[in-house]
Each structure stands twice: as structure tokens, then as C-alpha cells.
Amino acid sequence: TDAPALDAQDVPSAASGTVSIPASTYGHFLTEAEINGRSDHVMVDHGASLVALTYEDAENLGIFIKPSDFTYTAKTANGIARVAPVTISRVSIGDITVRNVHGVVSERGKSDRTLLGMSFLGRLSRVEMRGGTLVLQE
């Protein structure tokens, strides 16, 4: 398993609206995000199209899904999963905030971790990897 990541607010920012996230031991970018005002441990993943919440994280964040909401399928690290589309009011890392972010919630037990994908990252002015550090700028 990956080494614990620093919280985004603990990582020094070069400027307001900029967050730097160091890679974990295995090269993943793990951090704390605030989703709809609640804290969640996430992996920043530019290979994911959307913000992809685990079922369990969604519940903890106050996003409740009914079985009939699972109207799409997606490829996950654990295979094919049914997913429910959602719009997330607010996603923040450090002092970066993006509102009305498209995402999905995967079926219970089908995803290991919440991913911050391109529906969040694509709304930033800069996403850059420099020497093992991911730099995000609002």
C-alpha cells in the first residue's frame, strides 16, 4: 500500500490557487480533498475521465444513490462496474475550488479509492508534473 500522503493544505503552495502534491512511494498522488464540504482521502488521476467516488465515500460525503441510479458502466481497476452519474457541488484541494463537477459513484465494493479525474483537473488552468510532484493551479 502507498505511504500516507500529506494533506494538500500541509503542502507548501507557490502562490494562492496553487497546490503541489508529492508522489507517494509508488508514484500515486494521494491527498485530502474537500467534497461538498466534507474531507475525503483521494487519488489524483489524470487517466480517469471523471471524479469517481466509491459508494462508501459517496455515502460518507452525503451523496446517496438508489439502485435505479446506476445507469452506466465503467472500466475500473476491479473490472466493469455499474456507475451512477452525479454532479458534485464543490471539490476543493487546498485553496483550489471547482464547482459543479461531473462525476460518478460506483457500485458498493467495486472501487477501492475515490479518484479525482479530468472532470476536476480539466477545469484548472495548469496541471503539471515536475520531478515527482504534481502541481495544480486554479
Side-chain angles (χ1 to χ4, degrees):
T1 185
D2 283 323
L6 296 171
D7 289 348
Q9 56 268 26
D10 295 337
V11 177
S13 292
S16 180
T18 302
V19 173
S20 298
I21 305 168
S24 69
T25 304
Y26 296 102
H28 296 122
F29 296 100
L30 306 172
T31 192
E32 288 296 316
E34 194 174 278
I35 299 174
N36 289 348
R38 297 183 186 180
S39 184
D40 193 21
H41 192 71
V42 301
M43 181 167 74
V44 180
D45 184 358
H46 70 277
S49 300
L50 300 168
V51 172
L53 302 168
T54 68
Y55 186 91
E56 297 76 12
D57 283 351
E59 279 191 335
N60 291 336
L61 296 167
I63 300 169
F64 299 100
I65 303 298
K66 302 180 305 252
S68 61
D69 294 334
F70 292 99
T71 55
Y72 294 95
T73 58
K75 289 184 201 176
T76 72
N78 295 332
I80 300 293
R82 291 187 325 138
V83 296
V86 295
T87 299
I88 303 163
S89 298
R90 188 178 77 229
V91 178
S92 300
I93 297 180
D95 60 355
I96 294 173
T97 298
V98 178
R99 297 186 185 282
N100 300 316
V101 179
H102 295 291
V104 293
V105 175
S106 55
E107 289 179 287
R108 184 184 300 275
K110 291 291 186 174
S111 297
D112 296 329
R113 158 181 337 227
T114 288
L115 305 176
L116 276 189
M118 291 306 295
S119 60
F120 171 79
L121 297 172
R123 306 257 308 269
L124 303 179
S125 65
R126 181 170 68 129
V127 177
E128 179 181 358
M129 195 157 41
R130 260 196 260 157
T133 300
L134 183 65
V135 179
L136 308 176
Q137 186 171 13
E138 192 168 22

